[in-house]
Amino acid sequence: MKLPASPIALRLTARRAFATSPHTTLRRAQPRFRNPLDKGKFGQSPCRGYAELKPTVPIAATPKSRRFKLWTWTWRLTQLSLLGGLVYFAYGVYELRNPDQQFEPDPEKENLVILGTGWGAVSLLKHLNTENYNVIIVSPRNYFLFTPLLPSCTTGTVEHRSIMEPIRSITRHKKAAVKYYEAEATKIDPTDKTVSIDDISDIKGSSSSTKLSYDKLVIAVGAENATFGIPGVKEHSCFLKEIGDAQQIRKKIMDCVETATFKDQSPEEIKRLLHMVVVGGGPTGVEFAGELQDFFDQDIKKWIPEISDKFKVTLIEALPNVLPMFSKQLIEYTESTFKEEKITIRTKTAVKKVTDKTVEAEATGPDGKKTTEVLPYGLLVWATGNAVRPVVKDLMSQIPAQKDSRRGLAVNEYLVVQGTKDIWATGDCAVAGYAPTAQVASQEGAFLARLFNTMARTDAVEAQIEERSTSLNLKPGNTAEIATELEGLQRQLRRIKDIKPFHYTHQGSLAYIGSERAVADVSWLNGNFATGGGMTYLFWRSAYLSMCFSTRNRVLVLMDWMKSKVFGRDVSRE
């Protein structure tokens, strides 16, 4: 016989119900008294009070809470990415500032002499395993210059030191030590395998002229500015190939502006001084014309408003259109953009004579009729044509196979100079069947690095084969073992020697056309992707930024862009 629940059991049940209630912070749980005569509930244990409570149903997540979690995780990933980028940047700066110890290469190894510090030479040095050779670099320029941004230096958009990478910094980060001589190669003797070099710096020591012997020679000296024999070009024009050229142009721009504002200057003279003429409708000439117009519209007009309606830029091109390497739609887009910017384009126009104040040009009309006109100018920039350097011309005269070559050293499919042995050429001084661009020279330099690395490995494997062959059958019981090793070494040698000839892969063409717009003709899958406008301008900047040689260059260029955008370009003369 079961007894009714006692008052003590009822109080215990109520206390437990209070402890497990989800609303304990709001009110005290009340005990649930039952009828003692209820047959179903009579005499149950106090522990059953837990089961009688309704389970708490979790509240479903609202869309707002899901969005909040998404943004939280996105923010956390962004922070981690920024932190990782900062750590990577810090490591890159530390590695740049603290190079590893180098070792001197074996003096018995071959001498590899590289003439030049341009795109081809630096690309070769970057990918070359310097442990295999005694590498010697000769150049009067002790830095690598990122030439695609050189037009930006003429107006102060980018400072010139931001696009220069010291050659000593590049050589110091190689595993084996590399020698560098700041000198100019004056003569190459392919018979004696020597290169004559002269120190052409302002400060000279007791030794300023010497000869270097080579086993392998790479000629990457580039090209000179071509004047095509036009009178007055060399004397009165500014070129755009080196840092010194950009600095000279920058000074002359401000000289023209300040002279035009001189007291009692005649209107005709002001018009002449503020007329800037650019000869050459390639990427260099087009980019410089766009940068020059931006400089005047965005900066000079604000500080010198009295000449705001007198500034003029004229682009002269002998071909039917500018940017001939781009697609037709991009050429038309460039011409329409220049028309909006009030830049005059004169196509089918050839310069015949240059004086200190005028350019005499011959224009061909739609009907084929030629007319001559004289253009007064304040600044003339010559941005067209390449000419062979004297040292290359002298070498060509010594090689009978080069007698018919006019634009540079003719090379074969492995970039070996025709008619020679152990001499290679790359860049603008070589005639390889491709346009003389930085992209071609860079790929040629990388190819030569792979070729020389392969040749060094080949020599090492051949030495091992010779060593094994000479010891074959000299000792009893080693014939099978040495024969197996020889088969493996010969297979390895065949794989190493299987290097394909040089093949250029065009990755596209980019050009800035002013007003924060650019054009791009980029290789995409099996065709080309042509685009132009403001978004292309951002792509142009990001592409050039990624192509800069070092982290230091990228940071400096980015800071220059930000500085010119926030504070404007500097209009001081120096």
Side-chain angles (χ1 to χ4, degrees):
M1 180 178 180
K2 294 182 181 180
L3 298 175
S6 66
I8 297 175
L10 292 175
R11 283 197 297 270
L12 181 59
T13 302
R15 192 176 296 116
R16 289 179 176 174
F18 173 76
T20 57
S21 174
H23 305 288
T24 55
T25 57
L26 301 178
R27 66 179 185 274
R28 185 179 179 87
Q30 300 295 326
R32 298 178 60 187
F33 294 98
R34 300 174 182 83
N35 186 359
L37 299 178
D38 188 352
K39 299 293 183 182
K41 305 294 183 181
F42 185 78
Q44 289 184 355
S45 171
C47 296
R48 298 289 294 173
Y50 289 106
E52 294 173 1
L53 296 176
K54 292 184 179 180
T56 304
V57 180
I59 302 174
T62 61
K64 185 176 181 180
S65 64
R66 290 197 190 98
R67 288 196 299 268
F68 179 76
K69 288 182 179 179
L70 178 63
W71 281 110
T72 301
W73 280 107
T74 303
W75 174 242
R76 290 175 181 174
L77 289 175
T78 303
Q79 287 179 317
L80 288 174
S81 301
L82 291 175
L83 181 61
L86 184 61
V87 170
Y88 177 77
F89 172 74
Y91 175 76
V93 172
Y94 175 81
E95 192 177 37
L96 182 67
R97 295 285 296 162
N98 299 275
D100 296 332
Q101 286 293 115
Q102 289 181 315
F103 66 88
E104 291 294 330
D106 185 359
E108 298 299 323
K109 290 184 180 294
E110 293 183 328
N111 287 343
L112 171 59
V113 178
I114 303 173
L115 305 181
T117 53
W119 283 90
V122 169
S123 179
L124 164 61
L125 183 61
K126 181 179 179 181
H127 297 92
L128 179 68
N129 186 356
T130 55
E131 302 172 35
N132 299 324
Y133 301 95
N134 290 300
V135 182
I136 303 171
I137 301 175
V138 178
S139 176
R141 191 178 72 181
N142 71 340
Y143 57 87
F144 166 72
L145 179 64
F146 188 75
T147 50
L149 287 178
L150 193 58
S152 299
C153 294
T154 60
T155 59
T157 306
V158 174
E159 294 298 327
H160 65 276
R161 290 201 174 273
S162 300
I163 61 172
M164 297 164 58
E165 183 67 19
I167 196 68
R168 295 285 187 182
S169 174
I170 301 172
T171 59
R172 185 62 182 83
H173 285 82
K174 303 300 292 184
K175 288 184 178 180
V178 177
K179 292 181 180 178
Y180 167 73
Y181 299 122
E182 188 182 66
E184 184 172 6
T186 56
K187 187 176 181 61
I188 300 171
D189 190 338
T191 304
D192 296 338
K193 286 192 170 184
T194 59
V195 179
S196 300
I197 62 173
D198 291 341
D199 182 4
I200 60 172
S201 61
D202 296 333
I203 299 176
K204 294 181 175 63
S206 58
S207 175
S208 59
S209 180
T210 186
K211 288 185 178 181
L212 300 174
S213 61
Y214 68 84
D215 296 295
K216 290 180 171 58
L217 176 65
V218 177
I219 304 173
V221 295
E224 292 183 334
N225 296 285
T227 61
F228 306 104
I230 301 172
V233 172
K234 190 173 182 180
E235 295 80 7
H236 305 296
S237 300
C238 292
F239 300 105
L240 193 52
K241 268 188 178 292
E242 303 290 343
I243 284 294
D245 299 334
Q247 291 174 320
Q248 183 185 14
I249 291 172
R250 187 170 180 175
K251 289 180 180 179
K252 284 198 172 185
I253 291 173
M254 294 314 302
D255 275 344
C256 290
V257 171
E258 298 296 349
T259 305
T261 59
F262 195 78
K263 188 176 183 298
D264 300 329
Q265 201 71 268
S266 64
E268 293 79 11
E269 192 66 6
I270 293 174
K271 184 178 179 181
R272 180 189 72 81
L273 289 167
L274 296 179
H275 184 203
M276 312 295 174
V277 177
V278 183
V279 180
T284 302
V286 168
E287 288 187 347
F288 172 69
E291 291 277 2
L292 188 58
Q293 190 67 42
D294 285 350
F295 183 36
F296 186 80
D297 290 340
Q298 298 172 9
D299 298 284
I300 295 180
K301 274 185 178 182
K302 296 178 181 178
W303 309 120
I304 315 174
E306 59 267 27
I307 61 171
S308 60
D309 59 337
K310 300 177 179 64
F311 190 83
K312 184 180 179 182
V313 178
T314 299
L315 181 65
I316 297 177
E317 171 57 45
L319 296 177
N321 48 58
V322 298
L323 299 178
M325 69 289 298
F326 285 77
S327 62
K328 183 180 179 181
Q329 62 186 43
L330 291 182
I331 293 173
E332 293 175 351
Y333 177 76
T334 301
E335 292 175 349
S336 65
T337 301
F338 272 18
K339 188 175 181 180
E340 294 175 9
E341 297 172 351
K342 299 180 180 178
I343 298 176
T344 304
I345 299 178
R346 293 178 178 267
T347 54
K348 297 183 180 179
T349 303
V351 176
K352 295 299 181 181
K353 184 180 178 181
V354 176
T355 67
D356 60 338
K357 294 184 178 180
T358 60
V359 174
E360 183 178 317
E362 185 180 74
T364 303
D367 56 353
K369 186 178 180 181
K370 296 183 178 180
T371 58
T372 302
E373 56 182 323
V374 178
L375 303 174
Y377 72 89
L379 171 68
L380 174 63
V381 175
W382 194 267
T384 180
N386 289 327
V388 180
R389 291 191 181 275
V391 65
V392 175
K393 192 178 295 184
D394 178 72
L395 177 61
M396 292 168 62
S397 67
Q398 302 178 55
I399 305 172
Q402 299 286 331
K403 64 178 182 178
D404 295 328
S405 183
R406 296 289 180 267
R407 295 185 293 111
L409 292 165
V411 297
N412 65 9
E413 68 274 18
Y414 289 94
L415 304 182
V416 178
V417 175
Q418 298 282 17
T420 68
K421 185 180 180 182
D422 298 328
I423 299 180
W424 290 261
T426 178
D428 293 354
C429 66
V431 179
Y434 303 103
T437 63
Q439 193 176 158
V440 172
S442 180
Q443 293 188 27
E444 288 175 342
F447 169 80
L448 285 183
R450 293 194 302 271
L451 180 65
F452 291 150
N453 292 338
T454 300
M455 292 170 69
R457 292 170 58 195
T458 300
D459 293 341
V461 174
E462 286 178 346
Q464 293 180 29
I465 292 175
E466 184 179 0
E467 181 183 355
R468 298 293 190 279
S469 298
T470 54
S471 63
L472 187 64
N473 295 322
L474 292 179
K475 295 180 181 180
N478 69 339
T479 303
E481 180 182 350
I482 293 179
T484 304
E485 290 183 12
L486 283 173
E487 289 179 4
L489 289 172
Q490 287 169 354
R491 286 195 300 268
Q492 182 181 356
L493 183 62
R494 286 193 294 269
R495 288 195 302 267
I496 293 174
K497 281 187 172 181
D498 187 23
I499 183 169
K500 302 295 188 295
F502 172 73
H503 176 71
Y504 169 65
T505 303
H506 184 63
Q507 297 175 347
S509 302
L510 299 170
Y512 178 65
I513 58 176
S515 298
E516 297 188 350
R517 283 180 277 186
V519 290
D521 204 344
V522 183
S523 299
W524 183 263
L525 299 177
N526 295 326
N528 285 359
F529 178 69
T531 179
M535 293 301 295
T536 310
Y537 165 71
L538 297 178
F539 173 73
W540 171 83
R541 280 203 161 182
S542 61
Y544 278 6
L545 195 65
S546 64
M547 289 166 60
C548 287
F549 188 84
S550 66
T551 303
R552 168 185 168 274
N553 292 138
R554 296 184 190 97
V555 172
L556 292 177
V557 168
L558 187 60
M559 290 175 65
D560 288 341
W561 283 340
M562 294 173 62
K563 182 178 64 176
S564 62
K565 187 68 176 178
V566 175
F567 299 105
R569 301 170 183 85
D570 189 2
V571 295
S572 58
R573 182 180 179 275
E574 298 299 331

